[in-house]
């Protein structure tokens, strides 16, 4: 009833809680007792408290919902990054992966206003770094420099991999394609790939080659050379291109397949001798070095490695989109394009994040066939 004291009193209790019933001789309370003699004051107090509890719970829930709306992914992306970001490199400093990571970190820092710190975590053919990043909180504050070995080769090479490239990581951008050059110490009496093959055949198992761990292109190219040319050499793994190259220059190891950026200075100084590159055509930075495919090994004609930057798989998609856009803008800068070519790398034909995911899947199949052809599938 519109004028009922019971309705008025309950309404007061819904706003004021038990305080509405403190004065039991108040008109509202007397009216309530007269209108509802069977309820009594205590039950009405309990009813008022219950309604107050429900009211407060409703306000908490609606407040949380409103807060959730304001903490939308868009707001998250606008605030990102709010603190320093770490870019993990799975090799020692000085190799192509490290060089391009530092180049991009400097640009990202300038554009986004927060530090981008490069951290080197070498070992186990990139698995130590990849496993660590896969397990970090997916918030965009730990990223990984992922070469083709991490994202494609290891799937077939290892019996059991502690991460899944297609679900534990999401690509941010392809950074560069990375040709490799076969180099030897000048004391080795060979001046061409065919001479090296003949020399190795006459000395089965006596030559050794340096690499940067199982499954990385340095290793895979040598395995492919042995299987296709019918030679045997001993594998000596290192934790990075720079220390491996140092030992080749010193003559401790006679040869290696090396990514071009760390080797280019040694090549120009004549401290190592190039025998061929792993691309179908000549590399602009090493225009006088023939492709290995020209020596009768066509398997090397379409095998450039590549570098990609990735984030943990469940990173918010708006953060992924922001980093993807920033990286594409950076890679399109003329000075960055020029530096990539000067270092002996080649541009990467970028696409959408989804397109990059499809690229990783296709590369896993392609490199898987090479690993099987080299006879090392499941060998690690």
């Amino acid at each position: 009833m519109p004028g009922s004291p019971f309705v008025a009193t309950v309404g007061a209790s819904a706003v004021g809680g038990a305080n509405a019933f403190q004065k039991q001789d108040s008109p509202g309370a007397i009216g309530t007792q007269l209108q509802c003699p069977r309820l009594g004051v205590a039950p009405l107090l309990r009813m008022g408290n219950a309604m107050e509890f429900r009211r407060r719970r409703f306000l908490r829930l609606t407040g949380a919902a409103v807060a959730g709306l304001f903490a939308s992914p868009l707001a998250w992306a606008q605030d990102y990054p709010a603190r320093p970001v770490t870019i993990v490199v799975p090799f020692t400093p000085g190799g192509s992966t490290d060089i391009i990571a530092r180049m991009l970190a400097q640009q990202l820092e300038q554009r986004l206003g927060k530090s981008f710190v490069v951290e080197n975590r070498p070992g186990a053919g990139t698995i130590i770094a990849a496993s660590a990043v896969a397990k970090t909180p997916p918030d965009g504050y730990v990223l990984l420099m992922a070469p083709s070995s991490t994202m494609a080769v290891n799937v077939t090479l290892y019996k059991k991999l502690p991460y899944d490239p297609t679900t534990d990581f999401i690509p941010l951008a392809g950074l560069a394609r990375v040709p490799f050059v076969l180099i030897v110490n000048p004391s080795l009496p060979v001046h061409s790939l065919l001479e090296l093959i003949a020399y190795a055949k006459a000395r089965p198992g006596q030559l050794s080659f340096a690499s940067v761990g199982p499954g990385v292109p340095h290793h895979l190219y040598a395995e492919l050379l042995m299987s296709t040319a019918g030679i045997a050499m001993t594998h000596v793994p290192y934790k990075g291109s720079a220390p491996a190259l140092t030992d080749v220059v010193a003559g401790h190891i006679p040869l290696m397949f090396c990514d071009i950026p760390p080797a280019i200075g040694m090549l120009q100084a004549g401290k190592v001798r190039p025998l061929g590159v792993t691309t179908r055509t000549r590399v602009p930075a090493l225009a006088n070095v023939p492709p290995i495919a020209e020596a009768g090994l066509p398997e090397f004609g379409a095998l450039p490695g590549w570098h990609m930057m990735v984030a943990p798989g469940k990173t918010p998609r708006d953060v992924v989109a922001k980093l993807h856009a920033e990286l594409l803008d950076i890679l399109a800068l003329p000075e960055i394009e020029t530096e990539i070519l000067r270092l002996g790398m080649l541009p990467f034909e970028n696409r959408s994040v989804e397109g990059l995911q499809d690229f990783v899947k296709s590369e896993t199949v392609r490199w898987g066939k090479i690993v099987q052809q080299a006879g090392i599938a499941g060998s690690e």
Side-chain angles (χ1 to χ4, degrees):
M1 295 179 296
S4 168
F6 174 76
V7 174
T9 305
V10 173
S13 70
V15 177
N19 291 336
F21 294 95
Q22 285 178 352
K23 294 183 179 180
Q24 296 184 17
D25 57 348
S26 67
I30 294 172
T32 299
Q33 292 173 25
L34 291 173
Q35 294 279 339
C36 305
R38 294 183 182 179
L39 290 177
V41 175
L44 286 176
L45 285 171
R46 287 194 295 270
M47 182 183 297
N49 288 336
M51 294 184 69
E52 172 66 7
F53 171 79
R54 286 194 295 272
R55 182 187 72 87
R56 292 181 180 178
R57 183 171 182 270
F58 171 78
L59 291 175
R60 284 197 302 269
L61 291 174
T62 54
V66 172
L69 290 174
F70 284 105
S72 65
L74 180 60
W76 192 340
Q78 290 173 343
D79 293 339
Y80 174 88
R83 62 179 190 271
V85 178
T86 299
I87 301 175
V88 177
V89 174
F91 304 114
T92 57
S96 61
T97 316
D98 180 76
I99 291 171
I100 197 169
R102 295 180 188 279
M103 185 166 60
L104 294 174
Q106 183 180 31
Q107 290 287 334
L108 287 167
E109 186 170 321
Q110 292 173 358
R111 296 168 72 93
L112 297 178
K114 294 293 180 181
S115 297
F116 279 73
V117 181
V118 174
E119 179 181 324
N120 299 87
R121 291 193 195 178
T126 76
I127 288 182
I128 290 176
S131 298
V133 174
K135 296 173 184 175
T136 59
D139 53 13
Y141 287 95
V142 179
L143 311 175
L144 176 68
M145 289 291 293
S148 48
S149 53
T150 304
M151 301 296 288
V153 177
N154 287 350
V155 174
T156 307
L157 180 68
Y158 284 83
K159 294 185 182 74
K160 186 177 181 181
L161 203 58
Y163 64 89
D164 184 337
T166 60
T167 58
D168 288 336
F169 299 114
I170 185 166
L172 301 175
L175 308 177
R177 293 189 179 271
V178 188
F180 277 64
V181 58
L182 174 57
I183 56 175
V184 299
N185 183 278
S187 64
L188 199 68
V190 298
H191 292 78
S192 70
L193 180 63
L194 293 179
E195 288 182 7
L196 173 64
I197 292 172
Y199 186 87
K201 283 185 175 180
R203 299 162 181 80
Q206 295 182 29
L207 282 180
S208 57
F209 68 92
S211 90
V212 186
V216 296
H218 316 63
H219 172 224
L220 192 56
Y221 291 135
E223 292 285 355
L224 185 60
L225 176 62
M226 289 191 290
S227 66
T228 54
I231 60 177
M233 299 186 295
T234 302
H235 179 206
V236 181
Y238 289 76
K239 290 187 175 182
S241 294
L245 180 61
T246 298
D247 272 6
V248 173
V249 171
H252 302 311
I253 300 289
L255 63 97
M256 72 177 292
F257 281 88
C258 190
D259 40 334
I260 295 175
I264 199 163
M266 300 298 181
L267 287 164
Q268 292 170 346
K271 294 183 177 181
V272 290
R273 180 184 300 135
L275 300 184
V277 292
T278 59
T279 47
R280 183 178 290 109
T281 58
R282 299 191 179 223
V283 177
L286 298 175
N288 295 326
V289 181
I292 292 174
E294 290 183 5
L297 298 177
E299 296 85 357
F300 285 87
L303 285 179
W306 41 265
H307 292 320
M308 186 176 282
M309 189 179 290
V310 303
K314 294 183 180 179
T315 300
R317 291 303 180 261
D318 58 306
V319 173
V320 170
K322 185 171 187 175
L323 287 168
H324 175 69
E326 291 290 348
L327 287 168
L328 293 195
D329 286 348
I330 291 170
L331 292 167
L333 294 172
E335 60 269 30
I336 298 298
E337 289 183 335
T338 300
E339 187 66 7
I340 285 174
L341 291 172
R342 187 190 71 79
L343 290 169
M345 295 182 283
L346 302 173
F348 191 105
E349 304 79 21
N350 258 294
R351 54 199 84 179
S352 66
V353 171
E354 292 75 16
L356 290 171
Q357 289 174 312
D358 291 339
F359 170 79
V360 169
K361 292 176 183 176
S362 66
E363 285 288 281
T364 300
V365 174
R366 186 172 74 94
W367 281 100
K369 293 177 181 178
I370 299 301
V371 171
Q372 292 170 348
Q373 183 180 348
I376 55 174
S379 61
E380 298 293 334

